[in-house]
Amino acid sequence: MKQDIRNLFNEEDDLKTLPENHRIEFSERLKKQSQPKRSPYAWLSAAAILIIALTIGFNVMEMEAKPELNQVSPIIAQVEAVEAAYLKDIETEWQSFIAIADDAVLVERFRKKLKDLDSDYQAISLQFKEDSNNILVIEALVDNLQTRLQILKDIQKHINILNQKNEQNESTI
């Protein structure tokens, strides 16, 4: 049964001739096959997919928003702890200053200085809330607190020195 393929195509009597309207019939069949069958419920599946996608999207957004509300950044927590410690020390030093200061004008002058520093601190604090990762803002906050505390310590030291000199002068007279 071995045959040469070239010989098969040389024999034209075996070949069938195509009808004249073959091309038209073929193109009509292609057109019929290319039109997909439309289901009356196709829009329903599209709506279901859309609802599922929106539900998943909202759940993901909600889950991402919740941790931000519940968690405080470690930097913010540390700054708040430092702030609380300094404010406690400042209040203690202020009370000590008021107890040893005899001059009301001096007390009022330092109260004004501390209020000015506090208003600066509030402005810096707003910057910190906007950008809590900025080291310069954090340093400015701590410097402000340190300055207030140092002013109070320095004035108390100065008052104590003056009181000691007055006592020495009184005892020598």
Side-chain angles (χ1 to χ4, degrees):
M1 195 63 158
K2 294 182 179 180
Q3 291 183 356
D4 189 8
I5 294 178
R6 290 177 279 192
N7 291 336
L8 287 175
F9 289 109
N10 284 338
E11 299 173 7
E12 291 193 26
D13 54 349
D14 289 341
L15 293 176
K16 294 183 181 178
T17 57
L18 298 175
E20 289 180 19
N21 58 356
H22 168 72
R23 287 185 186 256
I24 298 170
E25 287 177 14
F26 182 73
S27 64
E28 286 176 6
R29 283 187 182 176
L30 278 177
K31 286 179 187 176
K32 286 181 184 178
Q33 283 183 349
S34 66
Q35 294 176 354
K37 294 181 182 178
R38 296 201 178 210
S39 171
Y41 300 109
W43 65 271
L44 199 59
S45 63
I49 291 172
L50 180 65
I51 289 171
I52 291 171
L54 287 174
T55 304
I56 291 172
F58 284 127
N59 285 337
V60 167
M61 287 175 35
E62 188 175 314
M63 289 173 64
E64 287 177 355
K66 282 184 181 179
E68 292 175 0
L69 295 175
N70 294 335
Q71 294 178 349
V72 176
S73 168
I75 293 173
I76 293 173
Q78 288 176 347
V79 169
E80 287 175 353
V82 168
E83 176 186 29
Y86 269 108
L87 290 176
K88 181 182 171 190
D89 289 343
I90 289 169
E91 183 60 30
T92 304
E93 291 296 325
W94 177 252
Q95 294 303 324
S96 298
F97 169 66
I98 291 176
I100 64 170
D102 296 333
D103 189 6
V105 175
L106 182 68
V107 171
E108 198 55 39
R109 186 181 334 153
F110 279 97
R111 184 186 316 265
K112 185 178 184 288
K113 279 186 180 183
L114 291 177
K115 279 187 179 181
D116 290 344
L117 285 170
D118 188 51
S119 64
D120 291 343
Y121 183 81
Q122 297 304 324
I124 297 169
S125 183
L126 289 175
Q127 290 177 353
F128 176 69
K129 287 178 183 175
E130 291 174 5
D131 185 15
S132 61
N133 292 329
N134 190 343
I135 296 296
L136 296 174
V137 174
I138 295 170
E139 286 177 355
L141 283 171
V142 173
D143 285 345
N144 183 289
L145 292 169
Q146 286 175 342
T147 303
R148 286 196 266 174
L149 187 59
Q150 194 61 45
I151 286 173
L152 288 170
K153 285 182 178 184
D154 289 345
I155 191 62
Q156 285 184 46
K157 186 177 178 182
H158 186 67
I159 289 174
N160 286 332
I161 291 171
L162 288 175
N163 286 340
Q164 287 176 356
K165 285 183 180 180
N166 285 341
E167 288 177 9
Q168 286 177 356
N169 289 340
E170 289 175 5
S171 65
T172 57
I173 295 178

